[in-house]
Amino acid sequence: MIFLLISIGLLIAAFYWLNQNVFSKMDCDFFMALVEKYGKNPGDALKGKRVWITGAASGIGEALAYEMASHKCKLALSDLNNQGLEKVKRKIINHHGLQEKDIILVPFNLTETIKHEEAYKKIIGYFKQIDIFFCNAGRSQRARFEEIDIQVHRDLFEINVFSGVNLSRLLVSGWLTESHPGHIVVTSSIAGKFGLPFSASYTASKYALLGYYDCLRNEVKSKGIKITVICPGPTASAILTKSFTGKPGEVYGKEFSEVDTRIPCDRQAKLFAIATANDVTEAWTSRSPYLWLVYGAQFLPSAFRYLFPIVYNEAKLSKIRDGH
């Protein structure tokens, strides 16, 4: 019995040491950490690729544009915010070495699926091919479940799910017809791995992305088409201020405080590039404690779902999510 107690104590001490000195410093899952250290260099693997990025005027999408430009990729940038796209384009030309001819701006409202084929054909006409599609555009949400109007659910799914799925359909169809397989990289969320309280519409939309693209991966893997789904945790972007609430048309509007759990957008973009260059199927890019929560949900689902609402009450969850 004494030996057992000593062994348990040593294991707890070892875990505590590892958490304090190793795991707490990580901002991605274990496999991604190994890939970053030992995998392919994005500068070599992505050089010269023709890349389409949605949601490219701000946040992770903007950072992805700069990251891909640093690898000399040719860029098609889409967003509803045309002025934001122009700003990103100027910055790329002035600071990242691409020329005017290497960038095409394709602004449109992604929820208007009638415009998708026109945008797709415009990019194909310009670059002749798309090698990588970053399906990145999306919105977040904050509201209690019982306060969410059904229209909010529909609106969020239109933005976060259906727009990207329809664009992916066009790309996959083209790649199969031309026998030129490409790569789709989807921005999901750690909210797609476990139910994040007070964000039901957002969480459901991110779960949906994992389902859609897991299915697509299984269908097209033999054709050489690659699918990567990335699940970022809290990120230092303006996504919180633009988040939906429970009322149609209303935005959350609150700023977040700078807290250590948030990853800068440029770091997220670098992790996205590493995952893309190494054909990672699913990556989690988050800091503690969220990274541990994803592991718990993935590998200890019953225990996690019992303990999570007990350990993370509303006040504690709000503090680590929004920094308030």
Side-chain angles (χ1 to χ4, degrees):
M1 178 63 73
I2 294 175
F3 177 76
L4 178 61
L5 291 174
I6 292 173
S7 299
I8 293 172
L10 288 173
L11 283 172
I12 293 172
F15 180 82
Y16 178 80
W17 185 90
L18 284 170
N19 185 60
Q20 293 297 108
N21 295 278
V22 180
F23 302 148
S24 64
K25 295 180 170 65
M26 294 177 66
D27 60 3
C28 59
D29 63 78
F30 299 134
F31 183 71
M32 270 294 296
L34 290 173
V35 167
E36 180 173 18
K37 188 169 184 179
Y38 301 110
K40 297 177 185 176
N41 183 341
D44 298 326
L46 303 180
K47 186 176 181 179
K49 297 292 186 182
R50 293 156 291 189
V51 176
W52 186 5
I53 304 170
T54 61
S58 61
I60 292 176
E62 179 181 356
L64 272 172
Y66 303 143
E67 178 69 20
M68 293 300 110
S70 73
H71 301 311
K72 307 305 177 187
C73 296
K74 300 181 187 301
L75 301 176
L77 306 179
S78 292
D79 199 287
L80 182 61
N81 182 357
N82 190 30
Q83 287 185 332
L85 290 178
E86 290 287 353
K87 179 200 71 174
V88 172
K89 179 181 177 180
R90 287 294 112 205
K91 189 170 181 179
I92 290 171
I93 292 172
N94 293 335
H95 302 289
H96 295 275
L98 293 190
Q99 300 179 29
E100 186 98 19
K101 64 182 178 63
D102 297 322
I103 307 169
I104 178 174
L105 302 184
V106 189
F108 67 105
N109 186 339
L110 267 68
T111 64
E112 297 179 10
T113 53
I114 195 171
K115 296 181 179 180
H116 285 191
E117 190 165 359
E118 178 186 350
Y120 169 75
K121 287 181 177 178
K122 183 176 181 179
I123 297 168
I124 292 294
Y126 193 82
F127 286 138
K128 309 306 178 188
Q129 188 53 259
I130 298 167
D131 301 305
I132 303 170
F133 173 51
F134 285 99
C135 182
N136 171 74
R139 296 281 290 273
S140 187
Q141 182 228 11
R142 297 286 192 278
R144 293 179 176 278
F145 185 91
E146 69 275 12
E147 296 173 351
I148 304 171
D149 188 278
I150 190 63
Q151 190 59 45
V152 174
H153 294 301
R154 293 189 176 111
D155 290 345
L156 209 60
F157 264 71
E158 286 290 345
I159 297 169
N160 288 2
V161 183
F162 301 140
S163 62
V165 165
N166 193 54
L167 288 172
S168 298
R169 177 186 64 84
L170 293 172
L171 285 157
V172 168
S173 179
W175 288 334
L176 291 174
T177 300
E178 299 165 15
S179 299
H180 184 103
H183 193 164
I184 297 175
V185 184
V186 183
T187 303
S188 181
S189 168
I190 60 164
K193 304 301 293 184
F194 64 91
L196 196 59
F198 315 112
S199 295
S201 308
Y202 176 75
T203 296
S205 71
K206 295 304 183 178
Y207 264 80
L209 288 174
L210 285 159
Y212 270 114
Y213 287 96
D214 274 351
C215 181
L216 177 59
R217 182 188 297 111
N218 293 335
E219 290 184 22
V220 299
K221 184 176 177 61
S222 64
K223 307 295 184 181
I225 296 173
K226 301 168 185 175
I227 308 293
T228 295
V229 178
I230 302 182
C231 300
T235 302
S237 71
I239 191 169
L240 185 62
T241 61
K242 299 176 183 178
S243 296
F244 287 177
T245 64
K247 299 177 181 179
E250 185 178 72
V251 295
Y252 191 60
K254 294 182 181 179
E255 298 284 350
F256 64 81
S257 300
E258 292 294 340
V259 290
D260 291 339
T261 53
R262 294 190 175 276
I263 297 179
C265 287
D266 57 350
R267 172 60 179 165
Q268 287 284 16
K270 189 171 292 295
L271 290 168
F272 273 55
I274 292 166
T276 304
N278 290 277
D279 305 332
V280 175
T281 55
E282 182 176 312
W284 309 336
T285 59
S286 182
R287 289 177 176 162
S288 179
Y290 276 106
L291 195 57
W292 286 114
L293 294 176
V294 179
Y295 272 106
Q298 184 85 0
F299 298 110
L300 297 167
S302 294
F304 174 83
R305 283 165 176 79
Y306 175 79
L307 292 171
F308 180 81
I310 297 173
V311 176
Y312 286 93
N313 56 40
E314 183 174 354
K316 187 171 183 178
L317 192 62
S318 177
K319 185 176 181 180
I320 64 173
R321 288 187 72 186
D322 303 342
H324 298 141

